[in-house]
Amino acid sequence: MTIKSISVTDALYHYILSTSLREPEVLQQLREETALHTHSMMQIAPEQGQFMALLVELIGAKKILEIGVFTGYSSTWLALALPKDGRITACDINEEFTDVARRYWARAGVTDKIDLRLAPALETLNSLAAAGHAGSYDMAFIDADKTNYDGYYEQSLMLLRTGGLLVIDNVLWNGQVADPNFTDADTAAIRRLNAKIHADPRVSISLLPIADGLTLAVKR
């Protein structure tokens, strides 16, 4: 037994995937295509995608907010887990990346579940609030530029219903958040948000060492 999370070696990681991962073929194809991309490190891990899809089922989510689409791997996992009347509002600014996402959404048969908004995410979140969507989302996933994470957190909390789930990616930032030698803007922004969430009475939280670190926060 151990009093802390087990270290995941390459061999153990492959064992986890071989005994747990149920990745649809369309998602495997998307993951393999994205692996050839210059910015492939922006894609979430397959076990993280499956975990978030399970969360969709666990909370019975029907309305999801995604901030940061890239090539659509995470949104495809989420959309496949949604019921037929479920919808994702997906925020991104890069048409080249999201063109790949659109192709795979079509292959997966989930295009009708995803409303892609190509604009700065904070603008989209403000417009959703202005249109009366505050307190209406069941789940939000934040995985975009790190320096705006605090703004995404605040706007997502406002758009979530009470009991809604906020999922935040990259909160361990390859371990750099725990290394004082890293003082760049991205690392500093994640550190500040982690500290803020830890002290935030508006949410119940758990930071999990999945992939690059995943915070789960339930709106009280």
Side-chain angles (χ1 to χ4, degrees):
M1 299 296 290
T2 178
I3 60 171
K4 65 178 183 179
S5 296
I6 190 171
S7 297
V8 180
T9 62
D10 287 345
L12 185 55
Y13 179 68
H14 289 302
Y15 176 81
I16 292 169
L17 295 187
S18 69
T19 58
S20 172
L21 185 62
R22 298 176 177 176
E23 184 181 42
E25 184 178 356
V26 65
L27 279 164
Q28 181 181 346
Q29 292 170 351
L30 172 53
R31 180 165 56 87
E32 290 172 351
E33 178 175 334
T34 305
L36 303 175
H37 196 284
T38 305
H39 300 287
S40 60
M41 291 301 293
M42 290 169 57
Q43 180 173 272
I44 67 168
E47 69 276 15
Q48 179 182 336
Q50 180 169 283
F51 176 66
M52 294 196 306
L54 179 62
L55 293 176
V56 172
E57 293 188 43
L58 282 172
I59 69 171
K62 288 189 175 182
K63 190 174 181 182
I64 298 175
L65 179 66
E66 180 179 62
I67 304 169
V69 176
F70 190 37
T71 58
Y73 187 74
S74 56
S75 51
T76 304
W77 268 113
L78 296 173
L80 287 170
L82 282 171
K84 289 184 179 180
D85 60 344
R87 296 292 181 270
I88 299 173
T89 306
C91 307
D92 208 289
I93 58 171
N94 192 301
E95 191 167 0
E96 177 189 350
F97 296 166
T98 55
D99 279 348
V100 178
R102 289 181 191 272
R103 282 197 285 111
Y104 281 91
W105 293 340
R107 292 187 194 180
V110 297
T111 299
D112 291 344
K113 292 183 178 181
I114 302 172
D115 175 17
L116 177 62
R117 307 287 185 96
L118 281 174
L122 289 175
E123 293 181 10
T124 298
L125 301 178
N126 286 329
S127 69
L128 290 170
H133 292 282
S136 69
Y137 281 85
D138 301 304
M139 181 175 175
F141 176 48
I142 299 175
D143 185 19
D145 56 297
K146 311 312 170 191
T147 54
N148 277 317
Y149 258 32
D150 185 78
Y152 299 148
Y153 174 73
E154 289 296 335
Q155 292 296 84
S156 295
L157 267 187
M158 181 264 299
L159 289 165
L160 281 173
R161 61 170 173 81
T162 300
L165 177 63
L166 180 55
V167 182
I168 308 171
D169 199 21
N170 301 121
V171 293
L172 296 180
W173 204 228
N174 200 33
Q176 294 176 18
V177 290
D179 187 339
N181 292 314
F182 287 91
T183 58
D184 59 281
D186 286 340
T187 305
I190 296 170
R191 281 196 194 108
R192 286 194 300 271
L193 182 61
N194 288 342
K196 176 178 179 174
I197 295 173
H198 184 220
D200 193 345
R202 297 173 296 173
V203 292
S204 301
I205 66 164
S206 184
L207 192 164
L208 304 175
I210 295 174
D212 195 27
L214 202 64
T215 288
L216 308 183
V218 174
K219 182 177 176 180
R220 291 175 169 170

